[in-house]
Amino acid sequence: MPLVKNAETAIPTTMRAVVVHGPEDYRLETLPVPVPGPGELLLRVDAVGVCASDLKCYHGAAKFWGDEHRPAWAQKGVTPGHEFAGTVVAAGDQATLDKREAALGDRLACEQIVPCWECRYCLRGAYWMCGPHDMFGFKGFDGAMAEYVLVPERALTHQVDTGIAPQHAAFAEPLSCSMHAVERGGIQLDDVVVVAGAGPIGLGAIAGARQKNPYLVVALDMSDAKLELASKVGADLTINITTEDAVARVKELTGGYGADVYIEATGHPSAVSQGLDMLRKLSTFVEYSVFKDDVTVDWSIISDDKELDVLGAHLGPHCWRPAIKLIESGTLPLEEVCTHQFPLERFQDALDLVGDSAGGSVKVSIVPGLS
């Protein structure tokens, strides 16, 4: 079947794209624009978020580059960028558009994983834990730090309103991840829920927890500015852990028992032990962060002392529709969450800002259309 594209919108033959050459060696290069085959779509990238995992990969964290214990998730020669939304400009055939209920000119957000649909996990419905685990921008498929990105037939896509800002559309990826962490927590109406970290994932978890309407949502961070933003997205109470004993305060709020659900979204080892101390007996700890270093804790707290449910959360399965709906509703202060946007040629500035704790950023994005 013939390639489907809008004859009035010319697609160039070359594009600018960031290419991974190794740790701390990412380069902006000129590459051919991919031509979609049957089952594939071509998106013009509207925006791509820069994730903390992107930064850790850039700096060569072992989890991403691999050592004798861990697989290498970042492939040399791949274009990074897994938090993205883009406009459909071409399709390999009309059947592809029909299957996705999409049309040329629509905006789509793509789930970050590209499932194989054949492994044990995919066949049992747990596609987000796919065995091969190909992911845009890390392994198997080029990501969206480029002017165009190819969407393979196996990928999952979701419609996003073209009327919202590109960087807000791309925020669907981290928000869906946050909502998955919230779902893993099994939050009940009478719960005291604590979210550690008011960065992009933590803010999304606060917003998601608020949708569950528990008794109390508490946000922890070291920045008063981020805690103020946490209040705007749904926190009932904020605690700056540099000026207040968060464990003592939460226990005071709960008659000495502790929190019902703790969601860790900082990526700092100290937040793990903090959560274990803060939780009541028979409660739930949800871990979402990507850690640079190994974390050591007293496991007897988990077992003999409190009999905790300790749960991991990975990606954002089955949470994309509610995440996009919340973004499109306009109720989140996304202008304050998506703080910095850079053109593609300033990708290095975007990476550096994510790594600058004093830089005042929350969510940093690359918008190729910026000049």
Side-chain angles (χ1 to χ4, degrees), residues 164-249:
I164 64 177
Q167 62 270 23
H168 299 172
F171 193 68
E173 193 276 347
L175 184 56
S176 70
C177 291
S178 302
M179 287 187 163
H180 178 47
V182 169
E183 288 286 80
R184 291 284 280 163
I187 295 170
Q188 303 295 312
L189 288 173
D190 197 40
D191 282 351
V192 172
V193 180
V194 177
V195 179
I201 294 296
L203 289 170
I206 293 163
R210 184 72 278 150
Q211 299 298 303
K212 296 288 187 179
N213 199 32
Y215 176 72
L216 197 64
V217 178
V218 182
L220 312 180
D221 204 274
M222 300 172 67
S223 164
D224 286 334
K226 288 184 177 180
L227 289 171
E228 182 179 349
L229 190 51
S231 295
K232 293 181 180 180
V233 301
D236 300 296
L237 175 69
T238 63
I239 300 173
N240 188 320
I241 63 170
T242 67
T243 60
E244 190 171 1
D245 185 333
V247 173
R249 181 71 186 282

Side-chain angles (χ1 to χ4, degrees), residues 81-289:
H82 62 282
E83 300 181 2
F84 66 93
T87 299
V88 181
V89 295
D93 48 48
Q94 185 59 46
T96 299
L97 291 171
D98 294 342
K99 182 179 178 180
R100 294 188 183 275
E101 298 183 347
L104 297 178
D106 284 354
R107 173 181 279 166
L108 299 179
C110 295
E111 296 201 24
Q112 59 287 82
I113 192 163
V114 182
C116 72
W117 301 116
E118 296 177 352
C119 71
R120 173 180 182 149
Y121 303 104
C122 287
L123 291 175
R124 294 187 176 190
Y127 71 89
W128 65 99
M129 297 305 296
C130 173
H133 222 77
D134 290 334
M135 293 183 71
F136 283 108
F138 287 117
K139 175 179 175 285
F141 295 94
D142 285 324
M145 289 189 191
E147 292 179 292
Y148 293 87
V149 62
L150 188 70
V151 179
E153 185 173 11
R154 293 193 271 125
L156 293 156
T157 57
H158 304 273
Q159 293 267 359
V160 187
D161 189 346
T162 58
I164 64 177
Q167 62 270 23
H168 299 172
F171 193 68
E173 193 276 347
L175 184 56
S176 70
C177 291
S178 302
M179 287 187 163
H180 178 47
V182 169
E183 288 286 80
R184 291 284 280 163
I187 295 170
Q188 303 295 312
L189 288 173
D190 197 40
D191 282 351
V192 172
V193 180
V194 177
V195 179
I201 294 296
L203 289 170
I206 293 163
R210 184 72 278 150
Q211 299 298 303
K212 296 288 187 179
N213 199 32
Y215 176 72
L216 197 64
V217 178
V218 182
L220 312 180
D221 204 274
M222 300 172 67
S223 164
D224 286 334
K226 288 184 177 180
L227 289 171
E228 182 179 349
L229 190 51
S231 295
K232 293 181 180 180
V233 301
D236 300 296
L237 175 69
T238 63
I239 300 173
N240 188 320
I241 63 170
T242 67
T243 60
E244 190 171 1
D245 185 333
V247 173
R249 181 71 186 282
V250 169
K251 288 191 174 181
E252 178 187 348
L253 290 166
T254 56
Y257 287 99
D260 301 285
V261 178
Y262 181 90
I263 299 175
E264 200 291 301
T266 72
H268 195 281
S270 64
V272 178
S273 56
Q274 172 184 258
L276 296 177
D277 290 341
M278 186 178 293
L279 285 166
R280 64 166 172 80
K281 295 178 181 180
L282 301 172
S283 59
T284 301
F285 185 113
V286 180
E287 180 55 63
Y288 198 90
S289 295

